[in-house]
Amino acid sequence: MNSRRLLISSAVAVLAAAALAAHAQQGHPIRLVVPYGAGGPIDVTARALAEQVKDSLGTVIIDNKPGAGGNIGADAVAKAAPDGLTIGIAATATNAVNPWLYAKMPFNAATDFAPITQMVRVPNVLVMNAEVAKRLNIHSVGDLIAYAKANPGKLNYGSGGNGSAGHLAGEMFKKDAGIFAVHIPFNGGNPAQLALLSNQVDFNFDNLATAAPNIRSGRLVALAVTTPTRSPMLPDVPPVADTIKGFSIDTWWGLVAPAGTPRDVIDRLSKAFIAALHSPQTRTRFEGLLAEPVGNSPEQFGAFMKSELAKYQDVVKATGARVD
């Protein structure tokens, strides 16, 4: 009986891989579901990769399905046929934060997806208004922590809203540094940055792509990046982890298929997309978005998503944020 099941399982995998190849050859496109609107960094990187893999996989059509913090698009992938013809984006929000932020989820982030490869990581950056940092004599993460401890309750920080990446990073920083700062939520990342520029808040954890122009102009000072090591995008700025061991909270996204997609199909998709991510054209394109290409194996991406899901359980709980 076991031999028969193994034979059937192997036959299904072979047929699915053959079907994927045949569909590509016959012009049947692969649908790549992006759970966010068109024009954002996730959408732009997905479209760039779709163009890069057309010779190996055939046409890849981007299907934007925004809504519910990315849950609508992610759910569409989770419930698609596991034949490799529908794949999608798994991101920090959909597969690590939302499961703890939303009271009810339409899918199981831990079991409903088969990892293909991580596409990118985008560093977040701890920034202060340059004038304020100079006045308070804060030039490093250590200086910020020392000031906060010497002046309890005097600092505040802004974010794009409760449960946002900036909010979670700020709460994680407070907890790990042993300091207190008041969280002031705004309606989006841009208003939060404007508040920082106008001295309404003292520091922010912002997306590097958003903060970079004001860092370059000198209006904001970057104290640290939130990736475990220095970012090639800001090579002179140390990571928070140099001061707080193990601190890591960046934005990432990658490619997944529905759970149950045969391994042969996953391998074929993974091989094509990893090659695209490692190409000079992709690296150049992503550098303009301040996004670092990754391109790891399905096993590595799966282990990474598992660790991120576990990490954010405590982070979201600490914030008290909840979406009903």
Side-chain angles (χ1 to χ4, degrees):
M1 179 64 76
N2 286 339
S3 298
R4 186 181 175 189
R5 284 177 181 167
L6 184 60
L7 222 89
I8 293 171
S9 177
S10 299
V12 169
V14 170
L15 288 171
L20 179 59
H23 275 70
Q25 290 168 2
Q26 294 168 12
H28 294 276
I30 294 172
R31 181 173 66 129
L32 200 174
V33 178
V34 175
Y36 303 100
I42 293 180
D43 176 70
V44 172
T45 55
R47 291 177 189 276
L49 281 192
E51 180 67 21
Q52 288 288 318
V53 299
K54 64 182 180 181
D55 289 339
S56 54
L57 295 178
T59 301
V60 177
I61 293 177
I62 304 300
D63 183 6
N64 297 95
K65 286 188 175 296
N71 286 348
I72 291 175
D75 187 47
V77 177
K79 291 179 171 56
D83 56 10
L85 296 177
T86 297
I87 60 176
I89 297 288
T92 315
T94 56
N95 287 64
V97 176
N98 289 358
W100 314 117
L101 187 63
Y102 282 77
K104 293 179 70 176
M105 287 288 287
F107 58 87
N108 188 318
T111 60
D112 286 352
F113 303 97
I116 296 172
T117 187
Q118 184 179 346
M119 288 169 57
V120 302
R121 67 175 186 173
V122 180
N124 295 318
V125 59
L126 171 55
V127 286
M128 289 189 71
N129 181 294
E131 292 180 1
V132 173
K134 184 178 181 180
R135 174 165 51 83
L136 299 181
N137 199 30
I138 295 174
H139 307 290
S140 67
V141 174
D143 290 343
L144 178 61
I145 294 172
Y147 181 88
K149 288 183 175 179
N151 300 273
K154 286 191 176 182
L155 290 178
N156 57 40
Y157 77 97
S159 81
N162 288 319
S164 67
H167 180 203
L168 299 179
E171 292 303 308
M172 187 172 169
F173 178 71
K174 285 163 53 178
K175 175 178 172 291
D176 291 354
I179 64 169
F180 176 77
V182 177
H183 171 234
I184 301 178
F186 293 87
N187 188 25
N190 286 337
Q193 186 180 98
L194 288 172
L196 182 65
L197 291 168
S198 59
N199 298 339
Q200 295 178 50
V201 295
D202 297 308
F203 67 91
N204 284 1
F205 282 88
D206 204 351
N207 183 281
L208 178 54
T210 304
N214 285 308
I215 293 172
R216 294 191 187 108
S217 72
R219 298 181 70 190
L220 295 179
V221 58
L223 299 182
V225 292
T226 63
T227 44
T229 57
R230 289 179 186 251
S231 167
M233 309 302 172
L234 281 179
D236 296 330
V237 178
V240 177
D242 278 5
T243 304
I244 302 175
K245 187 177 180 181
F247 190 95
S248 174
I249 183 166
D250 54 5
T251 301
W252 55 265
W253 58 89
L255 294 163
V256 293
T261 301
R263 182 57 198 237
D264 286 0
V265 175
I266 294 294
D267 287 344
R268 185 168 184 271
L269 292 167
S270 178
K271 181 180 178 181
F273 282 111
I274 289 173
L277 284 163
H278 290 164
S279 73
Q281 299 96 317
T282 298
R283 290 194 170 276
T284 300
R285 182 77 182 275
F286 284 17
E287 279 176 10
L289 299 168
L290 299 178
E292 303 171 27
V294 179
N296 53 10
S297 70
E299 289 78 15
Q300 289 169 326
F301 186 34
F304 173 74
M305 286 196 292
K306 183 178 180 180
S307 68
E308 288 285 284
L309 183 62
K311 178 177 77 177
Y312 279 100
Q313 181 177 16
D314 292 335
V315 176
V316 174
K317 185 178 179 181
T319 69
R322 196 73 172 162
V323 177
D324 296 320

